[in-house]
Amino acid sequence: MRSKSLNKTDLLLSLSNLLKLNEIKNFEEESQIMIAYAGSREKFIDVKFNKINENILESIVKERLKGKPLSKIIRQKGFWKNIFITDENTLDPRADSEIIIENILNDLSSSKIKDHFFIDVCCGSGCLGISVLDEFNKSSCDFIDISEKAISVCKKNISKIKVESQSSTYISDLFTKYPVERLLQAHFLICNPPYIPTNNYYNLDNQTLYDPKIALDGGEDGIMYYVKILNYLKKVKFTGDIFFEIDPIIINNLEKFLLEKSLKIVYKKTDYRNLDRLIKITFPLTY
Ligand SMILES: C[S@@+](CC[C@H](N)C(=O)[O-])C[C@H]1O[C@@H](n2cnc3c(N)ncnc32)[C@H](O)[C@@H]1O
């Protein structure tokens, strides 16, 4: 491919055309990411044409044309302001989830507290908590996931993005191995739990099925994790806020549950595609 190209722009054009012909939706963006990776740079703009490894580029293209998501081939994905390591044990960070970061940053900027302590439950790659820490260097976060392999990826990201001094990790089935006294000190929680109703799981598109099932299957009605987490927080008398990622597929069931439990919704936000994506719930200061 490179031998036919005169420069980086020609290469980008011919690669984009190839991906477009093969019906890859984000053909331009993906071409730039592929070239950046094969040129050992995070950004396409920083790549030197003569440093592009043609063999690496060709093998990425070959796998991509067989249908494997690019992030699962190069084991990394851009999210918010960083590139995160991801693999077959972690959900690839999604652009839709950036709305969570945007709103947390907005809320924290107007808060008097500058050294927030928060928990990223169901952290996977750690993209949510790490992105917040990267913006607020006085804040700290505990990362919880049931998957030891996901926590290992999360640890790599913590060190890649240099937030080690602000982070601790826990392998735990929700809060079962997490100290309750620590939970009660948290100012807020972030959580993007698995939320695909079990019956919908096998109808997911092929690309999504490359993500681990444990990161997607949210039980019969999709709200199993929300229910478990909220019931537990109520039981231990947690005071503070929780920012949950949501989806149109579960919002009716979840709102019904919140109403039954008299839990207060602070706000609900849609993502860039105008789909319900974030709900902020608050627990009272006194019970
Ligand atoms: C939808 S992914 C979210 C990953 C990451 N927070 C993100 O937004 O990209 C859900 C995560 O929950 C984890 N998980 C599933 N069941 C869990 C449980 N019982 N306790 C803790 N984590 C769990 C999965 O391993 C997966 O990493």
Side-chain angles (χ1 to χ4, degrees):
M1 196 179 313
R2 197 177 67 175
S3 45
K4 289 186 212 137
S5 307
L6 299 172
N7 56 39
K8 211 169 79 171
T9 313
D10 291 336
L11 177 63
L12 180 62
L13 271 175
S14 74
L15 186 51
S16 294
N17 281 336
L18 178 66
L19 299 190
K20 191 177 174 187
L21 276 174
N22 282 274
E23 297 176 2
I24 291 172
K25 261 197 263 159
N26 300 325
F27 53 90
E28 264 172 11
E29 190 191 346
E30 288 208 11
S31 302
Q32 290 199 3
I33 296 171
M34 287 178 187
I35 294 171
Y37 185 85
S40 304
R41 288 285 173 272
E42 289 210 333
K43 292 184 189 148
F44 171 78
I45 197 164
D46 298 330
V47 175
K48 294 206 164 52
F49 184 60
N50 62 357
K51 298 279 184 219
I52 297 169
N53 184 320
E54 203 166 338
N55 294 333
I56 292 180
L57 187 58
E58 278 183 10
S59 80
I60 296 172
V61 174
K62 215 164 148 187
E63 277 200 84
R64 184 66 187 104
L65 297 186
K66 282 187 203 152
K68 193 168 181 179
L70 180 56
S71 43
K72 289 286 190 255
I73 302 168
I74 61 173
R75 298 162 87 84
Q76 60 185 41
K77 177 97 189 271
F79 180 81
W80 197 246
K81 295 184 180 166
N82 290 292
I83 295 195
F84 284 82
I85 297 161
T86 180
D87 68 15
E88 64 281 5
N89 303 297
T90 50
L91 184 98
D92 288 342
R94 305 284 204 270
D96 293 338
S97 309
E98 291 183 352
I99 198 75
I100 303 176
I101 308 301
E102 206 175 299
N103 280 278
I104 292 178
L105 297 194
N106 200 23
D107 291 3
L108 294 197
S109 309
S110 54
S111 149
K112 285 192 189 117
I113 306 169
K114 294 292 165 220
D115 53 350
H116 288 96
F117 164 55
F118 63 97
I119 306 169
D120 181 349
V121 196
C122 299
C123 65
S125 65
C127 62
L128 300 177
I130 293 173
S131 297
V132 175
L133 289 182
D134 194 31
E135 299 278 350
F136 293 95
N137 60 12
K138 290 199 172 75
S139 293
S140 54
C141 177
D142 283 352
F143 294 85
I144 301 176
D145 202 286
I146 197 170
S147 155
E148 193 177 342
K149 288 179 175 165
I151 285 290
S152 151
V153 172
C154 179
K155 281 182 175 170
K156 287 182 194 160
N157 282 318
I158 286 170
S159 99
K160 179 174 187 281
I161 295 157
K162 300 187 173 45
V163 290
E164 295 101 318
S165 62
Q166 299 159 263
S167 309
S168 304
T169 55
Y170 293 80
I171 300 162
S172 173
D173 177 353
L174 299 179
F175 300 107
T176 49
K177 289 193 188 143
Y178 186 76
V180 69
E181 56 283 6
R182 214 168 152 82
L183 168 62
L184 295 177
Q185 282 166 20
H187 295 109
F188 63 91
L189 269 58
I190 311 176
C191 183
N192 176 14
Y195 56 62
I196 305 296
T198 306
N199 282 342
N200 294 42
Y201 175 77
Y202 291 102
N203 298 329
L204 290 171
D205 61 80
N206 286 344
Q207 302 281 300
T208 308
L209 288 172
Y210 277 92
D211 283 318
K213 188 166 188 275
I214 195 179
L216 297 166
D217 186 350
E220 197 181 339
D221 55 7
I223 62 165
M224 179 177 84
Y225 290 93
Y226 299 87
V227 168
K228 281 189 181 177
I229 292 169
L230 291 168
N231 279 340
Y232 184 72
L233 294 180
K234 242 189 141 174
K235 188 177 122 199
V236 300
K237 298 189 170 22
F238 173 75
T239 60
D241 301 322
I242 175 153
F243 297 84
F244 268 127
E245 173 155 332
I246 51 168
D247 187 273
I249 204 166
I250 47 98
I251 190 61
N252 289 343
N253 284 339
L254 181 60
E255 283 189 326
K256 203 169 141 230
F257 174 77
L258 295 175
L259 199 68
E260 274 166 22
K261 295 281 167 182
S262 309
L263 287 166
K264 192 173 162 221
I265 301 174
V266 182
Y267 57 64
K268 215 170 75 179
K269 303 275 174 172
T270 53
D271 63 18
Y272 311 120
R273 294 183 291 153
N274 213 23
L275 302 172
D276 284 329
R277 191 57 64 207
L278 164 66
I279 197 163
K280 179 177 178 182
I281 297 164
T282 194
F283 284 84
L285 286 174
T286 50
Y287 275 86

